[in-house]
Amino acid sequence: MTGKTYSPKRQSWVAGAALFAAIMMITVGFFQALEGIAAIIANEFYVPTRNYIYVIDVTAWGWIHLVLGVAVGVAGWGVMVAQLWARIVGIAAAVLSAVANFFFIPYYPFWAMLIIALDIFIIWTLCVYGKREAREAGMRES
């Protein structure tokens, strides 16, 4: 015996948190893609603060956010249907999203910090939610 016992309360909490994380991933991915599209279309939309050490062209940021937004959104859909690949891609995409938003702070500080906080929650939830919880929740795991 490993010392861990089945707990319906824990299982439902973890499954609920995973569903919430999946929905947040889809939402964050959508908004991050819109943020990227705005930066690509209107190069002067985001104005960086002066004298910031990390200076990258706004159009480059747009493409970075667009690609990360699509990756996070697709992984969120995969987490919603309990796919193992989606958890792995979701963790990697959320880490990259958090790092990208850290460097994006001088362009849009409040939004970047909010996305970093959501990415940390997503990473934590996807690390806690495993095969056993998916099986106990009655979801299909590939």
Side-chain angles (χ1 to χ4, degrees):
M1 183 170 207
T2 63
K4 293 185 179 181
T5 59
Y6 173 74
S7 169
K9 186 175 181 180
R10 179 182 185 278
Q11 177 269 328
S12 64
W13 183 87
V14 172
L19 179 62
F20 179 73
I23 292 168
M24 290 306 299
M25 289 171 72
I26 293 168
T27 305
V28 166
F30 177 74
F31 285 133
Q32 196 161 5
L34 286 180
E35 181 179 9
I37 291 169
I40 292 168
I41 292 173
N43 198 20
E44 292 82 31
F45 185 75
Y46 298 108
V47 180
T49 58
R50 295 179 58 200
N51 300 327
Y52 196 72
I53 195 165
Y54 307 111
V55 179
I56 297 177
D57 182 50
V58 175
T59 305
W61 276 122
W63 284 107
I64 291 169
H65 284 290
L66 180 61
V67 169
L68 284 174
V70 169
V72 171
V74 169
W77 170 81
V79 169
M80 192 175 292
V81 295
Q83 298 294 313
L84 176 60
W85 65 265
R87 287 198 336 255
I88 295 166
V89 170
I91 291 169
V95 167
L96 291 174
S97 173
V99 170
N101 277 289
F102 172 76
F103 289 115
F104 197 68
I105 287 175
Y107 297 91
Y108 219 52
F110 179 74
W111 181 256
M113 289 187 284
L114 176 67
I115 297 299
I116 291 169
L118 289 172
D119 285 335
I120 291 169
F121 172 77
I122 289 167
I123 293 165
W124 175 80
T125 303
L126 294 180
C127 289
V128 170
Y129 185 68
K131 278 188 170 185
R132 184 177 51 124
E133 287 82 14
R135 188 172 45 252
E136 290 170 356
M139 295 183 192
R140 183 178 54 85
E141 180 86 27
S142 295

